[in-house]
Amino acid sequence: MSYQEKKVFVSIISSILIFTLYTLYAIKNAEEGSITSASDFSFWGSFILVLLPVSIVAKIIIHIGFVIFNKIATNEDGPSFEDEFDKIIELKADRISLYVFFFGFLLSMVPLVTDLPTYLTFLLLIFFGFLSDLMGRIAQLYFYRKGV
């Protein structure tokens, strides 16, 4: 497996772990009824506002750990540059990720125009935000394996 494939694989695993652990933590510490309340948006706002910096910091720490562990295990440095192949793969993966997020955004507007509970909008936005990141990483892994 190439360095880029390992890096993407670690990113996939870390995204799943960070999102799952933070979601379990937030739900466990939520006040009774604040998750499903139609008028209490403070839980969802704080969920999103805390998830962003937590995931950024955790991914930075995991990436630094990956670079150190990879250096120790393989005694090789990571590539010091990105070539056109890497940039094309990143652009194709970003396009897929944006399509997934856009579809999720449109789908999350449905509860606002129907009689469905409003908290479903936040659930769908959070879920499709996570799913778009995950699908982008999986697409990167696929394109590296395929050799686009």
Side-chain angles (χ1 to χ4, degrees), residues 69-135:
F69 181 74
N70 188 57
K71 174 68 175 171
I72 292 171
T74 63
N75 202 20
E76 296 176 358
D77 290 329
S80 60
F81 64 92
E82 283 188 347
D83 59 0
E84 293 300 317
F85 180 69
D86 293 328
K87 291 178 183 177
I88 288 171
I89 287 177
E90 187 176 344
L91 286 172
K92 286 184 176 187
D94 285 348
R95 182 178 56 190
I96 290 171
S97 178
L98 288 172
Y99 286 157
V100 171
F101 183 76
F102 181 71
F103 174 74
F105 179 80
L106 289 177
L107 194 61
S108 69
M109 294 299 117
V110 171
L112 296 177
V113 297
T114 62
D115 289 335
L116 295 172
T118 310
Y119 69 88
L120 289 177
T121 297
F122 293 101
L123 281 174
L124 289 170
L125 281 173
I126 293 167
F127 175 73
F128 276 100
F130 166 71
L131 188 64
S132 71
D133 178 49
L134 191 63
M135 293 304 293

Side-chain angles (χ1 to χ4, degrees), residues 21-83:
L21 292 175
Y22 177 73
T23 302
L24 291 174
Y25 170 78
I27 290 173
K28 179 182 173 189
N29 292 336
E31 294 178 19
E32 187 68 33
S34 65
I35 294 175
T36 59
S37 174
S39 62
D40 187 15
F41 299 124
S42 64
F43 171 78
W44 295 109
S46 65
F47 183 92
I48 293 171
L49 288 176
V50 173
L51 176 62
L52 292 175
V54 165
S55 66
I56 289 170
V57 169
K59 285 182 182 185
I60 289 171
I61 292 169
I62 290 170
H63 181 68
I64 291 170
F66 167 74
V67 170
I68 292 170
F69 181 74
N70 188 57
K71 174 68 175 171
I72 292 171
T74 63
N75 202 20
E76 296 176 358
D77 290 329
S80 60
F81 64 92
E82 283 188 347
D83 59 0

